[in-house]
Amino acid sequence: VLTRAADKKREGNVMFGLGNAGYNKLLFSYNTGKGTTGWSSSFLMSRTAGSMYADGTEFEGYNYYWALGYQKGNHDFQFTITGAPQWHNQRSFSPTINEYLKYGTDGEPNRKYNLNWGTFRGEEYSFARNYYHKPVMSLNWDYKITDATKLSTVVYASFGRGGGTGTLGRVNNKTENGFRKADGSIDFDAIYAANAAIATPNSNSANSVFVRRASINSHNWIGAISSLNHKLNDNLNFTVGVDGRYYKGLHYRVVSDFLGATGFRDTTNKNAISTSNPTGQRIIVNSHDATPTWNPFGGKIDPEADMISYWNDGEVLWYGGFGQLEYSNDNLSAFVQGAVSNQGFQRIDHFIVDGVSLLNGTLASPTNQPTAKNPALNTKTGFKNLVGYNIKGGINYNINDHHNVFGNIGYYSKQPFLNAVYPNNKNFLNPNLTNEKIFGAELGYGFRSSAVNLNVNVYRTSWKDRFLRRGNLNIPDPNNPGVTFTNAYANIAGITEIHRGVEVDGSVKVNQYLSFTGMVSVGDWYYEGNATGTYFTETNEEITGTSFAGTTLYLDKVKVGGSAQNTYAAGFVLEPAKNFKLDGTYRYVNNLYANVNPINFQSQAAGNLGALKLPSFGLFDLGASYKVNLNAKQYFTLRANVYNVFDKVYIAESNTNYQSNLSAADYAAYGSSAPSYTSYVQAGEWNGVSQQNQVFFGFGRTWAATFSFNF
């Protein structure tokens, strides 16, 4: 979205907001409008802080925007910079319904339960903290060559810095679960004391430390887009353009907080291996605060000597062209559009000894050198180029002033992301690398009148050869019963998704005081055919064993989860007095399924059980606003909202697919990835859902209010 300073009229705004859990927001913005010399400027600054609904979710974020515009004759220049440095404590999917009930009261789940947080020296502290700043700068030049021809060019840059935190190591052979209080929170003071008692971390597991690490996902991104639009006649015009981008992702880990430890032992950098140091041991003593930098140009990355676990870069070089032809008259409009691009992908691993292989952590024989078939022994993979393209077209016909019909169709051969090109976080090229294929079509109808508006849309989309990475998984070690890899991830390849459905939305204006809105969305989204899953620990080591290596995932006809396939909503806006409005919306959600957790679909029997269907629910939101006009340009606005007015308890999302009321034979279909059948039965159900499922409960009743002044 390009915001144009020169197009804004002269105005300003001051806003203050409050909400539940200490939420507060302060915002100021001002637009100068375009002056007689052609210059204009816009500015915005805001701060938002407080907590979200769940425990241990404090946050603070800022947002800034500045634009400078200049328009003279046929030339229009716009420079913009915007960014939002923020940090927020968060929560993971790990809690089961059983745990929410354990820490609840009177048989009701504690919807606010968060297993990642506690108190440290009297203050909120979390193992799960995200922090980031991604400023975007752009310079746009519009050149009106003639009345019929216009050239638009934009160059842009973004330097994102930040990451997310988690746990690393163990102390006295314990992780966070060994330091939980009776209320389920983490005793960080006890962790600090245990770490402080360790003089020097070494290879002895009983003499190691437990720290908070930060996984950094920074990037440098620059690009340019230029397009030429020419109007051939009153009905026909075309656009052609070129697009070039360069992206470099910076991925590594550092220690965020030693929590009382004097250092952390790391052996993952193979460049540290030598005759005198055969294991490559390094003792890391520097930590890096998990707060975003305000430097809009990113600044330097953390020192190389402090990087642990992994350090790699991903480069993407993109160049392409596009074109579009449009036709329109009083009743008919149509377009056809196409684009083609080449993307080159390269992975650089700085923890590899370039040109030398390693066996069991030590230098291998000189004869075992990298080859074309085994490039993972090289620091750089070289660029792998993939060509992608898309073509689409659409048409709209106005039958008369009230009725119109339209249709769109398109095909997209989409290059996958870097993690699909080099899927195992190593320098191995995906042997089954292929573009993702997306084909979509829709038909629609619209009706317009002074009192009624109506839209109807029928769609079908096929998405083939999709690659998906699912993280935050708990995966049992196939070779060590009772041992579970937490924060593991899975690569899922060969996915085909089918999305089809009908959407209807409309509004009715009864009179000047009352109007109604409504919508219906009925979908049928499912996987077609099976897929393949491979599994990895948090430190990118493949989890091997007969239960996991190259596992077929039986997904055929399994429902796609994560979003409700059927949604219905109805709302009203009532204005009983001038400048005073009441509004309300009721939304009903049905056919909401759990996210596909690959460890739940490793057998045909498990696939037959399907995705877990979550209970339906309805939510009612209410709002009110009042406007006080001082004069033609100045006015106050007071706005208040209450969400989930009736405090409905519902499951918003599930990360697992354990069905309820299963026999021992049916339950065995989940295999070694599931808890024991005995514990499954003992855990029981909540609202028809097995308590073994890892879920997020939806927010209870919340509120927010804002007071603003426009001038």
Side-chain angles (χ1 to χ4, degrees):
V1 177
L2 179 64
T3 308
R4 304 176 59 82
D7 295 339
K8 291 179 172 290
K9 65 180 181 179
R10 183 177 180 179
E11 63 179 359
N13 174 257
V14 179
M15 188 270 284
F16 177 68
L18 290 173
N20 58 282
Y23 173 91
N24 64 89
K25 184 180 183 71
L26 183 63
L27 179 147
F28 171 77
S29 66
Y30 185 73
N31 309 315
T32 65
K34 187 169 63 176
T36 56
T37 60
W39 288 93
S40 61
S41 184
S42 296
F43 173 78
L44 179 146
M45 185 73 185
S46 72
R47 176 186 182 271
T48 310
S51 291
M52 297 300 289
Y53 181 76
D55 293 329
T57 53
E58 285 185 345
F59 68 90
E60 182 182 42
Y62 294 85
N63 187 50
Y64 61 86
Y65 169 79
W66 180 66
L68 182 66
Y70 177 73
Q71 187 176 11
K72 193 73 172 180
N74 294 333
H75 298 274
D76 187 346
F77 297 91
Q78 305 279 337
F79 172 78
T80 63
I81 179 171
T82 183
Q86 62 80 34
W87 64 264
H88 65 275
N89 294 335
Q90 53 192 24
R91 55 179 178 164
S92 71
F93 259 124
S94 296
T96 62
I97 297 176
N98 185 264
E99 290 176 291
Y100 285 103
L101 291 167
K102 176 182 177 181
Y103 299 112
T105 57
D106 300 325
E108 289 296 319
N110 178 8
R111 290 174 286 175
K112 297 185 177 183
Y113 176 61
N114 176 5
L115 54 68
N116 298 116
W117 84 291
T119 56
F120 183 35
R121 296 173 176 171
E123 301 290 334
E124 178 180 309
Y125 190 91
S126 177
F127 272 132
R129 177 182 172 110
N130 176 277
Y131 60 104
Y132 217 82
H133 181 204
K134 177 187 168 59
V136 179
M137 293 156 272
S138 66
L139 177 63
N140 190 86
W141 171 42
D142 287 340
Y143 174 33
K144 186 178 180 181
I145 302 173
T146 67
D147 289 341
T149 308
K150 179 181 178 181
L151 178 67
S152 297
T153 302
V154 59
V155 293
Y156 60 89
S158 175
F159 305 97
R161 294 293 184 269
T165 68
T167 64
L168 192 62
R170 56 181 59 230
V171 61
N172 300 328
N173 210 28
K174 294 191 297 185
T175 59
E176 64 266 41
N177 286 333
F179 295 92
R180 290 211 180 273
K181 298 180 180 179
D183 62 358
S185 64
I186 301 172
D187 190 343
F188 286 99
D189 295 307
I191 294 175
Y192 184 95
N195 279 332
I198 304 298
T200 303
N202 58 39
S203 59
N204 185 347
S205 62
N207 192 25
S208 58
V209 294
F210 187 48
V211 302
R212 186 175 79 171
R213 51 82 181 160
S215 298
I216 307 301
N217 287 289
S218 299
H219 68 257
N220 299 327
W221 186 354
I222 59 174
I225 303 174
S226 186
S227 63
L228 179 72
N229 178 264
H230 179 68
K231 188 173 183 179
L232 296 170
N233 52 48
D234 291 340
N235 305 113
L236 197 63
N237 70 82
F238 73 88
T239 301
V240 293
V242 293
D243 178 11
R245 317 174 198 175
Y246 171 74
Y247 174 92
K248 184 174 184 179
L250 313 169
H251 317 118
Y252 57 89
R253 277 184 177 172
V254 292
V255 175
S256 167
D257 194 330
F258 283 103
L259 291 171
T262 58
F264 182 83
R265 176 182 179 272
D266 181 76
T267 59
T268 54
N269 186 354
K270 304 309 179 185
N271 289 285
I273 295 176
S274 65
T275 304
S276 60
N277 185 13
T279 64
Q281 174 176 293
R282 297 177 300 139
I283 303 298
I284 309 300
V285 296
N286 295 321
S287 62
H288 298 269
D289 193 23
T291 55
T293 175
W294 274 80
N295 186 343
F297 302 101
K300 63 180 181 180
I301 63 175
D302 297 308
E304 299 176 10
D306 296 341
M307 297 178 183
I308 58 175
S309 301
Y310 58 84
W311 175 24
N312 60 78
D313 301 332
E315 292 183 302
V316 181
L317 184 60
W318 168 309
Y319 53 90
F322 56 90
Q324 178 169 297
L325 183 66
E326 298 175 86
Y327 174 84
S328 64
N329 59 31
D330 292 339
N331 296 320
L332 179 69
S333 61
F335 79 94
V336 60
Q337 182 267 342
V340 63
S341 67
N342 181 83
Q343 292 186 39
F345 301 88
Q346 176 169 240
R347 189 177 188 276
I348 305 170
D349 197 322
H350 299 282
F351 275 8
I352 289 177
V353 181
D354 196 12
V356 180
S357 66
L358 292 144
L359 296 175
N360 300 321
T362 59
L363 296 176
S365 64
T367 58
N368 192 1
Q369 297 298 312
T371 66
K373 293 183 178 180
N374 190 14
L377 303 179
N378 285 325
T379 300
K380 294 185 178 182
T381 61
F383 280 95
K384 173 62 178 178
N385 292 300
L386 297 172
V387 175
Y389 63 92
N390 70 73
I391 184 169
K392 55 187 176 182
I395 188 169
N396 177 80
Y397 179 66
N398 296 322
I399 300 171
N400 53 39
D401 291 341
H402 300 293
H403 304 273
N404 73 287
V405 291
F406 64 88
N408 294 289
I409 190 170
Y411 180 81
Y412 185 11
S413 178
K414 174 184 177 294
Q415 298 100 325
F417 292 119
L418 183 75
N419 63 4
V421 181
Y422 305 103
N424 303 339
N425 282 335
K426 294 182 180 179
N427 284 11
F428 287 106
L429 183 68
N430 185 347
N432 300 311
L433 185 61
T434 184
N435 279 7
E436 301 178 0
K437 292 92 174 173
I438 305 169
F439 177 78
E442 65 173 346
L443 292 173
Y445 163 78
F447 175 80
R448 300 288 182 272
S449 72
S450 59
V452 178
N453 291 325
L454 178 68
N455 300 297
V456 181
N457 181 43
V458 180
Y459 67 89
R460 188 184 191 277
T461 300
S462 169
W463 189 349
K464 296 184 178 180
D465 291 318
R466 184 184 181 192
F467 178 90
L468 181 65
R469 176 166 290 173
R470 286 296 318 278
N472 204 16
L473 303 178
N474 293 333
I475 297 179
D477 185 347
N479 305 309
N480 296 288
V483 176
T484 298
F485 296 109
T486 59
N487 297 318
Y489 66 92
N491 290 332
I492 311 175
I495 298 173
T496 296
E497 291 185 25
I498 304 296
H499 293 242
R500 58 186 183 180
V502 179
E503 299 174 334
V504 181
D505 69 86
S507 63
V508 177
K509 185 176 181 181
V510 179
N511 52 44
Q512 61 179 330
Y513 306 107
L514 180 64
S515 62
F516 294 98
T517 60
M519 62 83 64
V520 174
S521 177
V522 178
D524 182 19
W525 312 334
Y526 58 91
Y527 297 99
E528 187 174 72
N530 298 325
T532 301
T534 50
Y535 306 83
F536 300 86
T537 68
E538 186 181 19
T539 55
N540 303 321
E541 299 301 321
E542 186 172 357
I543 301 174
T544 59
T546 56
S547 300
F548 294 99
T551 301
T552 297
L553 302 181
Y554 295 88
L555 297 179
D556 191 36
K557 305 306 179 185
V558 170
K559 296 290 188 179
V560 175
S563 298
Q565 300 197 14
N566 293 357
T567 306
Y568 314 88
F572 71 90
V573 178
L574 175 65
E575 190 171 0
K578 185 178 180 180
N579 295 328
F580 176 60
K581 292 183 179 181
L582 291 171
D583 58 89
T585 302
Y586 178 78
R587 179 169 59 95
Y588 183 75
V589 169
N590 188 26
N591 285 0
L592 172 62
Y593 295 89
N595 298 317
V596 167
N597 189 319
I599 61 176
N600 294 148
F601 293 92
Q602 296 182 95
S603 71
Q604 184 63 65
N608 292 338
L609 293 174
L612 173 67
K613 184 177 179 180
L614 301 176
S616 304
F617 59 87
L619 304 176
F620 180 64
D621 301 330
L622 193 62
S625 63
Y626 183 63
K627 183 178 179 181
V628 179
N629 292 309
L630 301 181
N631 50 52
K633 293 184 177 181
Q634 296 176 327
Y635 58 89
F636 291 96
T637 303
L638 178 64
R639 174 73 184 174
N641 290 86
V642 180
Y643 307 99
N644 191 3
V645 172
F646 301 113
D647 202 25
K648 175 70 175 179
V649 180
Y650 65 98
I651 297 175
E653 200 170 354
S654 176
N655 200 42
T656 50
N657 291 268
Y658 298 125
Q659 304 285 355
S660 60
N661 296 320
L662 295 183
S663 66
D666 287 336
Y667 192 77
Y670 292 128
S672 60
S673 63
S676 70
Y677 180 69
T678 301
S679 63
Y680 169 86
V681 173
Q682 291 174 344
E685 301 175 3
W686 179 86
N687 202 14
V689 180
S690 169
Q691 293 184 25
Q692 293 284 13
N693 284 294
Q694 299 170 335
V695 306
F696 278 151
F697 280 93
F699 291 2
R701 185 188 299 113
T702 58
W703 64 273
T706 59
F707 178 76
S708 64
F709 174 57
N710 286 70
F711 58 93

